[in-house]
Amino acid sequence: MLNDKLNKKEDEVMNAVFTLANGKESFLVSPFEIIALLPPKASYDEEKLEGVLRALELDGYFELIFSDRKGEKTYVIHMNPAGLAYKRSDYQRKRGLYIKLGVTAAGAVLSFAIGMILKAIFS
């Protein structure tokens, strides 16, 4: 699901990074490992991924360091508190959405019932 502060691409990449972190604060990952976890129809390449990772770094989700491992581009990612709490904030956002939908549905049912009662009284 889409986080309040993130757009769709950032949310997809952050979800992949959080999955790869697997509860660790720091880890090494290649761009291809991240791209493999992203939806195929989004068609990410290394440039797009790097731009999104930079944006997430600026938002304070993690610190990003570029490295080279055996000639292969590698990212060293150190998760910040906001990055470690990503799933929790996503859960809270979903819960808030469900509460809003429930209140809206209850309001619609109540409005319908009052309308029917008033119609029965005045006809």
Side-chain angles (χ1 to χ4, degrees):
M1 290 297 287
L2 195 63
N3 195 306
D4 285 340
K5 295 178 359 182
L6 303 178
N7 65 34
K8 185 177 180 181
K9 287 186 178 193
E10 290 171 341
D11 191 59
E12 291 170 348
V13 171
M14 188 60 208
N15 196 28
V17 168
F18 188 83
T19 301
L20 289 169
N22 201 21
K24 295 181 276 187
E25 281 192 30
S26 296
F27 61 99
L28 291 171
V29 64
S30 75
F32 303 108
E33 290 175 301
I34 297 174
I35 291 172
L37 291 176
L38 298 173
K41 58 184 167 179
S43 67
Y44 286 91
D45 60 2
E46 283 188 52
E47 273 185 36
K48 282 184 187 177
L49 177 64
E50 193 171 309
V52 174
L53 287 171
R54 286 279 183 205
L56 289 168
E57 180 184 25
L58 290 174
D59 286 343
Y61 286 95
F62 50 76
E63 294 175 23
L64 181 67
I65 301 168
F66 295 96
S67 180
D68 195 34
R69 181 175 59 180
K70 298 178 186 174
E72 181 185 347
K73 189 179 208 178
T74 305
Y75 304 127
V76 179
I77 297 178
H78 178 74
M79 301 292 278
N80 290 337
L84 292 171
Y86 168 74
K87 284 293 185 188
R88 183 175 185 274
S89 64
D90 191 44
Y91 171 76
Q92 287 176 333
R93 187 198 56 76
K94 285 179 189 178
R95 186 178 65 192
L97 179 65
Y98 292 142
I99 290 172
K100 287 178 186 177
L101 287 173
V103 168
T104 302
V109 169
L110 183 63
S111 177
F112 175 75
I114 290 172
M116 294 304 287
I117 291 169
L118 289 175
K119 187 175 180 181
I121 291 173
F122 293 114
S123 47

